Amino acid sequence: MSTSRGTWFMRDRPVAIWLFVAFLVALVHPFFASSRWLMVHLVVLGVVTHSAMVWSVHFTDALLKTKAGFEERRWQTARLSIFQVGIVLVFIGVPTNIWALTLAGATLISVAIVWHAIALGRRLRAALPGRFRITVRYYIIAALLLPVGATFGVLLARGVGDPWHGRLLVAHSMVNLLGWVGLTVLGTLVTLWPTMLRTRMAPNAESASKQALPILGLGLVLLVVGPLVDLALVAAAGIVAYLVGTLWVYRPIVTAARNRPPASFPALSAGAGLLWLPVGLGLMAWSLLERGSWADLSGNYGILTTIFVVGFALQIVLGALSYLLPVAIGGGPHVLRLGIREMERWATARVVVANGALALALLPVPSLVRAVLSVLTLLALALSIPILGRGVYAAVKGGRAAAERPPAPDGTPPQRVAPLATSWSRAELITGAAVIAVGATIGVGLDPTAAGLNMTSGRRERQSGSAVTPTGRTTTVEVTAKDMRFHPPEVSVPPGDKLVIELKNTDSTNVHDIVLANGASSGRLSPGQSATVEVDVVDGDIDGWCSVVGHRQMGMVFAVRMSGAAMSGAEDTSGPAGTSTEIDFMKKWGADFKGIDPVLPPLTQERVRHVTLTVEDVKTEVAPGVIQTRWTYNGGSVAPVLRGRVGDTFVVTLVNNGNMAHSVDFHASEISPDVPMRDIAPGESLEYTFTAKRSGIWMYHCKTMPMTAHIAAGMAGAVIIEPPDLPKVDRSYVITQSELYLSEQGGPVNAAKAAAGQADAVMFNGLVNQYVDQPLTAKVGERVRVWVLDIGPNRPLSFHIVGSQFDTVYKEGTYLLKDGRGPLDPPDYHSAGSQALGLLPAQGGFVETTFPEAGHYTMLNHIAGDAEIGASGIFAVTK
């Protein structure tokens, strides 16, 4: 294959381009919706599929000894061009919810892939009998499966509710990943793997491929049928069958690896990918049987997707390309080694970091540790982009130099390049392990409590300090944490014994810990994790509790009682965490302050609305000079305002990047709360689909207990479903009222205050008095509509604008007053008015007014005490 062919644009470069784009999206993925979908499909379609289309033709021609010129290159270029146009349309259509673009893109992709299958079939029919024709059959079957998966994908993009969304997601992903990608990889590596290892092919390689293909095909059929007929057991049987077929293909692959263990980057990377495939298959089978529904499975699909896309597919492609690109460039052994030598840079370290960090990130580690490990995996894989480029450049440059170099007069051969690696680099292995250890340590340092480190002073606070004689004995107790309780809640220990608590978090979603008054602590435990807490000699009663915010207030307390002491229940002395920060309500916001935009978001035309809500803990200035750690959806002090029409479908992806369990409850939905409103642990996600059937301004919020704390911490917002034929107005605003419960400066919500309703401030749109310093604007004579929602969690709202009267009042789905006319007023009467809209927590509506003259009109909660502690703002009206 000539150098010109090696630089053929449509064959090589799109892979590098899409890899680079995927890397950029990974860097900014928390900041825009559909980013996770886009990352997955950039890799699967942009990188893996394009590579498979190119190199399956290459291997087919090599295996079948296809005559040169059998198919002109321009036809392959046309196929690849159609495919690239198709994936661009899909990459635009899905994130923007333009279904027509998605459909057009999927159609072009299917056309290109079917044409690709036909081209491979023509080569197979024209070839003479020979070995490994079975590999080409793998390619053809794989190609014919991709349009099936694309059809499921188009239906998903159209917007379907549960349970069909979960069922189609499983069918779509498994057909594409295991059918198209999996069969292509398994068909290729039987012959490519021993070539990369530079060893003989196992004698049973061809027969193993032939025997495995029917088993793999059966597994794929069951994987499609199972979700469509709603039988998880059938789909699980399909996974098991596919796993059996995979392991059968692995037999000659393992034999080759035994003959010559992998040492080069291509072999190490491809070998790591091969190891991840059965891991993903086993976890998928378990998930299908363990999850209660397809929706539940699809809501926790992130780990499976990561294993199949990053662990398996991406590493196989990077390994294969690192080997094939120098070979494709040609130029002889000297040039080949020049290219491969560049591509071998930090080979062992890259593979160790990528796979070690990925494996640890998939475990139930604290979220910040997982974030650091994910970045390490990303960087280790992303290094392949410039290294591949250096390798190609070195090979091309070496080939040109060799062509231009005159032969030596004495016939001396050109200087040899250093031989390729034949064993792992021990230094790089140690370096890779050290990088992972340092990364995990950084994650622990960012959140030591969640990582299980006791950061208390360690001083002992005994409630009865009588001296006792140590007995030398140890009392060991087993305690479980579940459903906001410790089981048992109290233990009795003989005086003088040491105490060891074996704590296990058996909750399915919530993070818990145990902290004792003497300073002993388990550290934060994710679901399923355990810890041993060693307590010194027990010489008195010791109270304990879960330190996760709000859990103590929910009754998650524990007591160590010295034998013979009074068995009173553990006293909950919870109160403000430190001294509460004082708010100066007369202090103004700084000149650089940028508050929450109160303008109603525009109503777009799509009928299926995709929304991503990412849970994050964010330190926020909630009043001038006052900082609180807010628990947020998408980083704001209140959740974003969503807007739609009656009949619109909302597809909401909740991603928990916080440090405890969270959830979401949409009042605008009519749906069983069991699955979509469930708590999800840190690092997990779920999909919540509903169709808006009734108009109004609806609250949505985290319903994880204690709900008062989660709502008060910022996890609540408004969904506006407009009434039919709602008249246009000149300006529309949204005002939500919520309460502020402070602990120490920069600390989280004070759950005890929230439970007692002892608010430090009341806020409009999540910040104290923000619209006093940054007023809302209007002009004289303009019609202004203000949507109002009382988020609470505890206080009512009497919304009033000083100097103005409302001629239209809409509350909880009905008009109390419309254009100055009440429901019982005669048709020609338009002189009625309203002074306030009264709302209880979780109620909402809107008011309309026209300002008569220029000036400053104060809007406030007419429960005057709440207006004086932050629930006020100004309309600045000009001529």
Side-chain angles (χ1 to χ4, degrees), residues 174 177-178 277 280-281 284 304-313:
M174 291 297 98
L177 288 172
L178 300 183
L277 179 56
L281 291 172
M284 182 70 185
L304 290 167
T305 303
T306 301
I307 289 174
F308 285 123
V309 175
V310 178
F312 169 58

Side-chain angles (χ1 to χ4, degrees), residues 465-536:
S466 60
V468 298
T469 302
T471 64
R473 297 189 302 265
T474 299
T475 297
T476 301
V477 296
E478 294 183 356
V479 180
T480 59
K482 186 177 182 181
D483 298 331
M484 295 297 174
R485 292 292 184 271
F486 291 112
H487 307 277
E490 186 174 286
V491 296
S492 178
V493 182
D497 276 16
K498 290 186 177 181
L499 173 63
V500 174
I501 300 173
E502 301 284 354
L503 177 66
K504 183 172 184 179
N505 181 5
T506 59
D507 232 330
S508 60
T509 55
N510 256 314
V511 173
H512 295 298
D513 65 7
I514 190 168
V515 175
L516 299 181
N518 69 350
S521 171
S522 65
R524 298 282 175 87
L525 301 179
S526 297
Q529 286 187 319
S530 301
T532 299
V533 183
E534 296 185 359
V535 184
D536 205 350

Side-chain angles (χ1 to χ4, degrees), residues 425-642:
S425 167
R426 181 175 300 177
E428 289 188 19
L429 180 64
I430 296 173
T431 301
V435 169
I436 296 171
V438 170
T441 303
I442 292 173
V444 171
L446 293 173
D447 189 4
T449 304
L453 298 181
N454 179 16
M455 302 304 289
T456 61
S457 64
R459 63 185 178 90
R460 298 179 58 81
E461 299 178 11
R462 288 182 172 82
Q463 288 131 313
S464 59
S466 60
V468 298
T469 302
T471 64
R473 297 189 302 265
T474 299
T475 297
T476 301
V477 296
E478 294 183 356
V479 180
T480 59
K482 186 177 182 181
D483 298 331
M484 295 297 174
R485 292 292 184 271
F486 291 112
H487 307 277
E490 186 174 286
V491 296
S492 178
V493 182
D497 276 16
K498 290 186 177 181
L499 173 63
V500 174
I501 300 173
E502 301 284 354
L503 177 66
K504 183 172 184 179
N505 181 5
T506 59
D507 232 330
S508 60
T509 55
N510 256 314
V511 173
H512 295 298
D513 65 7
I514 190 168
V515 175
L516 299 181
N518 69 350
S521 171
S522 65
R524 298 282 175 87
L525 301 179
S526 297
Q529 286 187 319
S530 301
T532 299
V533 183
E534 296 185 359
V535 184
D536 205 350
V537 173
V538 174
D539 60 0
D541 294 348
I542 309 173
D543 285 345
W545 58 88
C546 179
S547 72
V548 177
V549 177
H551 289 195
R552 188 177 185 181
Q553 286 70 35
M554 291 294 296
M556 202 164 183
V557 293
F558 184 76
V560 177
R561 299 301 184 206
M562 191 168 66
S563 297
M567 289 294 194
S568 59
E571 179 186 1
D572 185 1
T573 58
S574 60
T579 303
S580 294
T581 307
E582 294 293 332
I583 299 177
D584 181 357
F585 291 99
M586 300 303 294
K587 187 175 182 180
K588 292 186 176 295
W589 288 92
D592 58 348
F593 167 68
K594 184 178 181 181
I596 305 295
D597 187 357
V599 175
L600 177 67
L603 182 61
T604 53
Q605 296 302 311
E606 68 266 22
R607 302 311 302 267
V608 178
R609 302 181 180 275
H610 291 265
V611 179
T612 298
L613 298 176
T614 302
V615 177
E616 300 173 289
D617 297 350
V618 179
K619 289 188 180 296
T620 304
E621 189 176 14
V622 290
V626 177
I627 307 297
Q628 184 183 58
T629 297
R630 303 284 282 173
W631 305 342
T632 73
Y633 294 127
N634 294 359
S637 190
V638 290
V641 175
L642 310 180

Side-chain angles (χ1 to χ4, degrees), residues 612-815:
T612 298
L613 298 176
T614 302
V615 177
E616 300 173 289
D617 297 350
V618 179
K619 289 188 180 296
T620 304
E621 189 176 14
V622 290
V626 177
I627 307 297
Q628 184 183 58
T629 297
R630 303 284 282 173
W631 305 342
T632 73
Y633 294 127
N634 294 359
S637 190
V638 290
V641 175
L642 310 180
R643 189 179 180 189
R645 306 177 185 83
V646 174
D648 285 0
T649 296
F650 288 78
V651 181
V652 181
T653 301
L654 176 67
V655 181
N656 187 358
N657 287 342
N659 291 313
M660 66 184 75
H662 290 292
S663 59
V664 66
D665 169 8
F666 282 89
H667 292 190
S669 69
E670 285 187 299
I671 189 171
S672 171
D674 295 349
V675 173
M677 300 183 196
R678 70 187 185 276
D679 292 353
I680 60 171
E684 292 188 350
S685 63
L686 63 79
E687 191 163 275
Y688 184 147
T689 302
F690 69 91
T691 299
K693 298 178 181 178
R694 294 178 175 86
S695 58
I697 178 169
W698 304 87
M699 182 175 171
Y700 71 95
H701 61 92
C702 180
K703 63 180 285 291
T704 302
M705 302 303 285
M707 193 164 62
T708 51
H710 286 251
I711 293 174
M715 302 192 77
V719 179
I720 295 176
I721 307 299
E722 294 201 350
D725 303 320
L726 183 68
K728 291 184 178 181
V729 292
D730 297 297
R731 298 176 189 262
S732 291
Y733 293 103
V734 183
I735 297 295
T736 62
Q737 176 182 286
S738 57
E739 299 134 38
L740 182 66
Y741 299 93
L742 294 171
S743 56
E744 73 277 9
Q745 176 78 331
V749 61
N750 189 310
K753 284 185 177 181
Q758 299 169 349
D760 292 283
V762 182
M763 309 177 290
F764 284 163
N765 288 352
L767 301 175
V768 173
N769 284 335
Q770 62 174 318
Y771 302 123
V772 173
D773 294 341
Q774 291 191 347
L776 284 66
T777 59
K779 291 185 177 180
V780 173
E782 287 184 332
R783 189 158 193 82
V784 178
R785 177 181 295 136
V786 184
W787 290 89
V788 186
L789 175 67
D790 185 0
I791 287 175
N794 299 312
R795 295 184 182 237
L797 166 63
S798 176
F799 186 77
H800 172 71
I801 301 179
V802 177
S804 176
Q805 297 176 348
F806 310 137
D807 61 9
T808 296
V809 179
Y810 179 91
K811 177 181 177 181
E812 286 295 285
T814 188
Y815 283 96

